[in-house]
């Protein structure tokens, strides 16, 4: 980039910063309510609109797995644990399965961790099959619908395909026994074999208390134009750099590592959360999967998310107006990021910031303990409530079978 271009970009950046900072001066940050049906959906109260029966499984399916490795409480897939705890004391829970609209099977399928804390999903299909065999043998409710009125949390990279590499996940497909159930998962990508129609897409887990302890004054100006911390190349798993993030992260680094408007690095400073609150835009590129926890962090800290993941299905998309609060950039357009972002009018940036400042927006992205009105737990229940009543077609005729219990890789069929 030549000197004149640098000066021009810096002048644009300064104008945006002046306007952006003006939003935050003088006390409370201005907010804007989400308009139309999306705002109504975001503020829905699911209590009284559905009843959920929680199966009581042996602790080997959940609590003992967690006791073996408490790190599961803090990783990005911990929603499966906290959703279980929430439902046990939720007013939507019913102890009478005959009046239940939905049935929940509490299986901690992503709590088998490597020494580095990364979930290994290889046992998950066997664990899940075992749990389904148990509930179908001890209760009559699964067999009435073969799971069509049941929901499962499968918050791994590629949901119920149970593999962390996309190619292998596609090859496996969704666990056959879950093909009639509703899946609640972090993974969402249009026209993908690992996203079942009717799935509820949720945000990854990010520790609410940890983030709240890093909040800084709203009066501090956003002095960073574009911010990102994370991998650009996954050398260990993708030495040539073309497969990881489909090359999008590599393109960010190669094109903008020396650009003064881009504060990007592989280092993860102790001021990471504070830095996001000083940034106008936060890059949220895909990694091995389309989503990342940065999406949650950006919303919580009022940093406009720049979503780089083609065909992504975002969390609670019928309630959160992602197009209004974020910026979508096609993976192939990454080399033009500077032009795209500096071309956004200041008034558009201001509106996105006002929407991001809305407390209901932030609440919907979090799984707090204890639960709070409008949080991610409630958004999941709202999604389930909107699927009611169940169609008559979900109930099987006596003796009717649809699912194939012997389908899938041979290793999945071994007892657990």
């Amino acid at each position: 980039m030549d000197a004149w271009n640098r000066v021009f970009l810096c002048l644009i950046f300064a104008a945006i910063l002046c306007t952006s900072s003006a939003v935050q001066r003088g006390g409370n940050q201005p907010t804007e309510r989400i308009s139309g049906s999306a705002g109504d959906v975001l503020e829905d109260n699911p209590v009284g609109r559905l009843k959920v029966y929680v199966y009581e499984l042996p602790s080997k399916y959940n609590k003992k797995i967690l006791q073996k490795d408490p790190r599961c409480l803090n990783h990005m897939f911990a929603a499966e644990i906290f959703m279980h705890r929430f439902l046990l004391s939720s007013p939507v829970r019913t102890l009478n399965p005959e009046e239940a609209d939905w049935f929940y099977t509490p299986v901690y399928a992503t709590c088998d961790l490597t020494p580095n804390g990364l979930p290994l999903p290889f046992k998950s299909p066997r664990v899940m099959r075992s749990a389904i065999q148990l509930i179908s043998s001890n209760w009559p409710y699964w067999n009435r619908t073969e799971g069509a009125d049941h929901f499962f949390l499968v918050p791994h990279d590629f949901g119920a395909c149970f593999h962390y590499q996309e190619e292998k996940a596609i090859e496996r497909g969704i666990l056959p026994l879950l093909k009639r159930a509703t899946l609640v998962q972090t993974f969402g990508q249009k026209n993908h074999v690992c996203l079942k129609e009717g799935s509820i897409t949720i945000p990854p887990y990010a520790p609410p208390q940890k983030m709240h302890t890093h909040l800084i004054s709203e009066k501090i100006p956003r002095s960073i134009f574009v911010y990102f911390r994370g991998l650009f190349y996954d050398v260990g798993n993708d030495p040539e750099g073309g497969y990881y993030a489909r090359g999008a992260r590599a393109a960010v680094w190669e094109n903008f590592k020396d650009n003064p408007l881009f504060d990007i690095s592989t280092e993860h400073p102790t001021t990471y959360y504070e830095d996001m609150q000083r940034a106008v835009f936060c890059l949220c590129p895909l990694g091995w999967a389309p989503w990342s926890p940065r999406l949650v962090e950006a919303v919580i800290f009022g940093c406009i998310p720049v979503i780089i993941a083609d065909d992504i299905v975002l969390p609670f998309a019928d309630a959160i107006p992602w197009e209004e609060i974020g910026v979508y950039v096609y993976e192939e357009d990454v080399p033009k990021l500077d032009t795209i972002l500096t071309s956004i009018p200041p008034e558009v940036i201001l509106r996105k910031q006002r929407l991001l400042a809305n407390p209901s927006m932030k609440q919907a992205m979090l799984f707090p303990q204890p639960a709070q009105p409008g949080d991610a737990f409630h958004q999941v229940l709202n999604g389930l409530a909107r699927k009611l009543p169940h169609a008559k077609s979900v109930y099987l005729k006596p003796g009717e079978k649809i699912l194939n219990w012997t389908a899938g890789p041979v290793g999945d069929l071994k007892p657990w």
Side-chain angles (χ1 to χ4, degrees), residues 96-154:
N96 178 8
E98 292 296 335
E99 68 176 14
D101 301 298
W102 289 99
F103 296 82
Y104 167 65
T105 307
V107 178
Y108 299 169
T110 64
C111 197
D112 185 14
L113 306 184
T114 67
N116 293 331
L118 300 175
L120 288 175
F122 304 122
K123 294 181 183 177
S124 301
R126 293 167 56 206
V127 176
M128 193 65 77
R129 277 180 55 88
S130 175
I132 293 172
Q133 286 174 329
L134 181 68
I135 63 173
S136 65
S137 301
N138 290 277
W139 290 273
Y141 309 105
W142 170 274
N143 298 316
R144 297 187 311 189
T145 65
E146 287 195 317
D149 54 357
H150 288 54
F151 70 94
F152 293 81
L153 262 75
V154 284

Side-chain angles (χ1 to χ4, degrees), residues 58-70 108 111 416:
S59 60
K60 72 173 186 175
Y61 292 98
N62 39 64
K63 294 178 183 177
K64 282 189 177 179
I65 296 176
L66 177 59
Q67 288 172 359
K68 181 181 176 182
D69 199 334
Y108 299 169
C111 197
W416 178 78

